[in-house]
mmCIF file of all heavy atoms in Angstrom:
data_model
loop_
_atom_site.group_PDB
_atom_site.id
_atom_site.type_symbol
_atom_site.label_atom_id
_atom_site.label_comp_id
_atom_site.label_asym_id
_atom_site.label_seq_id
_atom_site.Cartn_x
_atom_site.Cartn_y
_atom_site.Cartn_z
ATOM 1 N N PRO A 457 -5.752 -36.152 16.578
ATOM 2 C CA PRO A 457 -6.507 -36.929 15.626
ATOM 3 C C PRO A 457 -7.993 -36.442 15.464
ATOM 4 O O PRO A 457 -8.640 -36.746 14.535
ATOM 5 C CB PRO A 457 -6.544 -38.326 16.263
ATOM 6 C CG PRO A 457 -6.355 -38.051 17.684
ATOM 7 C CD PRO A 457 -5.600 -36.801 17.869
ATOM 8 N N ASP A 458 -8.383 -35.518 16.400
ATOM 9 C CA ASP A 458 -9.775 -35.074 16.524
ATOM 10 C C ASP A 458 -9.955 -33.653 15.904
ATOM 11 O O ASP A 458 -10.357 -32.748 16.619
ATOM 12 C CB ASP A 458 -10.336 -35.141 17.920
ATOM 13 C CG ASP A 458 -10.142 -36.566 18.521
ATOM 14 O OD1 ASP A 458 -10.577 -37.524 17.860
ATOM 15 O OD2 ASP A 458 -9.606 -36.619 19.677
ATOM 16 N N ARG A 459 -9.695 -33.554 14.616
ATOM 17 C CA ARG A 459 -9.836 -32.268 14.008
ATOM 18 C C ARG A 459 -9.977 -32.525 12.515
ATOM 19 O O ARG A 459 -9.803 -33.671 12.046
ATOM 20 C CB ARG A 459 -8.643 -31.370 14.281
ATOM 21 C CG ARG A 459 -7.290 -31.996 13.934
ATOM 22 C CD ARG A 459 -6.216 -30.988 13.812
ATOM 23 N NE ARG A 459 -6.457 -30.229 12.557
ATOM 24 C CZ ARG A 459 -6.164 -28.936 12.393
ATOM 25 N NH1 ARG A 459 -5.676 -28.245 13.387
ATOM 26 N NH2 ARG A 459 -6.423 -28.313 11.241
ATOM 27 N N ALA A 460 -10.316 -31.421 11.772
ATOM 28 C CA ALA A 460 -10.315 -31.582 10.299
ATOM 29 C C ALA A 460 -8.989 -32.018 9.868
ATOM 30 O O ALA A 460 -7.901 -31.542 10.233
ATOM 31 C CB ALA A 460 -10.687 -30.191 9.706
ATOM 32 N N ALA A 461 -8.973 -33.032 8.974
ATOM 33 C CA ALA A 461 -7.718 -33.651 8.479
ATOM 34 C C ALA A 461 -6.861 -32.750 7.620
ATOM 35 O O ALA A 461 -7.401 -31.960 6.872
ATOM 36 C CB ALA A 461 -8.005 -35.014 7.801
ATOM 37 N N GLU A 462 -5.597 -32.931 7.710
ATOM 38 C CA GLU A 462 -4.597 -32.310 6.879
ATOM 39 C C GLU A 462 -3.658 -33.439 6.467
ATOM 40 O O GLU A 462 -3.245 -34.271 7.304
ATOM 41 C CB GLU A 462 -3.814 -31.268 7.536
ATOM 42 C CG GLU A 462 -4.542 -29.897 7.505
ATOM 43 C CD GLU A 462 -3.889 -28.895 8.441
ATOM 44 O OE1 GLU A 462 -2.698 -29.193 8.836
ATOM 45 O OE2 GLU A 462 -4.491 -27.866 8.713
ATOM 46 N N GLY A 463 -3.232 -33.421 5.190
ATOM 47 C CA GLY A 463 -2.211 -34.419 4.822
ATOM 48 C C GLY A 463 -1.363 -33.928 3.614
ATOM 49 O O GLY A 463 -1.536 -32.807 3.196
ATOM 50 N N THR A 464 -0.454 -34.772 3.184
ATOM 51 C CA THR A 464 0.392 -34.402 2.092
ATOM 52 C C THR A 464 0.334 -35.466 0.998
ATOM 53 O O THR A 464 0.356 -36.631 1.326
ATOM 54 C CB THR A 464 1.888 -34.352 2.616
ATOM 55 O OG1 THR A 464 1.909 -33.408 3.697
ATOM 56 C CG2 THR A 464 2.781 -33.871 1.534
ATOM 57 N N VAL A 465 0.257 -34.968 -0.228
ATOM 58 C CA VAL A 465 0.228 -35.964 -1.375
ATOM 59 C C VAL A 465 1.562 -36.574 -1.569
ATOM 60 O O VAL A 465 2.599 -35.833 -1.695
ATOM 61 C CB VAL A 465 -0.229 -35.255 -2.686
ATOM 62 C CG1 VAL A 465 -0.180 -36.206 -3.841
ATOM 63 C CG2 VAL A 465 -1.620 -34.743 -2.501
ATOM 64 N N ILE A 466 1.723 -37.877 -1.590
ATOM 65 C CA ILE A 466 2.937 -38.586 -1.764
ATOM 66 C C ILE A 466 3.072 -38.864 -3.240
ATOM 67 O O ILE A 466 4.161 -38.695 -3.861
ATOM 68 C CB ILE A 466 3.031 -39.885 -1.010
ATOM 69 C CG1 ILE A 466 3.001 -39.602 0.504
ATOM 70 C CG2 ILE A 466 4.250 -40.684 -1.395
ATOM 71 C CD1 ILE A 466 2.644 -40.788 1.312
ATOM 72 N N GLU A 467 2.032 -39.299 -3.854
ATOM 73 C CA GLU A 467 1.981 -39.497 -5.309
ATOM 74 C C GLU A 467 0.462 -39.396 -5.775
ATOM 75 O O GLU A 467 -0.429 -39.621 -4.945
ATOM 76 C CB GLU A 467 2.598 -40.807 -5.763
ATOM 77 C CG GLU A 467 2.079 -42.070 -5.069
ATOM 78 C CD GLU A 467 2.827 -43.327 -5.415
ATOM 79 O OE1 GLU A 467 3.961 -43.273 -5.801
ATOM 80 O OE2 GLU A 467 2.250 -44.413 -5.298
ATOM 81 N N ALA A 468 0.313 -39.134 -7.052
ATOM 82 C CA ALA A 468 -1.041 -39.027 -7.583
ATOM 83 C C ALA A 468 -1.012 -39.393 -9.061
ATOM 84 O O ALA A 468 0.007 -39.229 -9.673
ATOM 85 C CB ALA A 468 -1.564 -37.619 -7.419
ATOM 86 N N LYS A 469 -2.121 -39.980 -9.486
ATOM 87 C CA LYS A 469 -2.188 -40.396 -10.839
ATOM 88 C C LYS A 469 -3.608 -40.403 -11.345
ATOM 89 O O LYS A 469 -4.577 -40.308 -10.537
ATOM 90 C CB LYS A 469 -1.615 -41.765 -10.995
ATOM 91 C CG LYS A 469 -2.405 -42.847 -10.143
ATOM 92 C CD LYS A 469 -1.881 -44.252 -10.259
ATOM 93 C CE LYS A 469 -2.762 -45.144 -9.481
ATOM 94 N NZ LYS A 469 -2.121 -46.147 -8.675
ATOM 95 N N LEU A 470 -3.790 -40.465 -12.615
ATOM 96 C CA LEU A 470 -5.117 -40.647 -13.233
ATOM 97 C C LEU A 470 -5.262 -42.128 -13.506
ATOM 98 O O LEU A 470 -4.618 -42.695 -14.322
ATOM 99 C CB LEU A 470 -5.190 -39.852 -14.530
ATOM 100 C CG LEU A 470 -6.588 -39.774 -15.150
ATOM 101 C CD1 LEU A 470 -7.565 -39.030 -14.212
ATOM 102 C CD2 LEU A 470 -6.564 -38.957 -16.449
#
Side-chain angles (χ1 to χ4, degrees):
D458 304 311
R459 52 160 292 143
E462 274 170 15
T464 305
V465 175
I466 296 164
E467 57 186 22
K469 60 177 183 222
L470 188 61

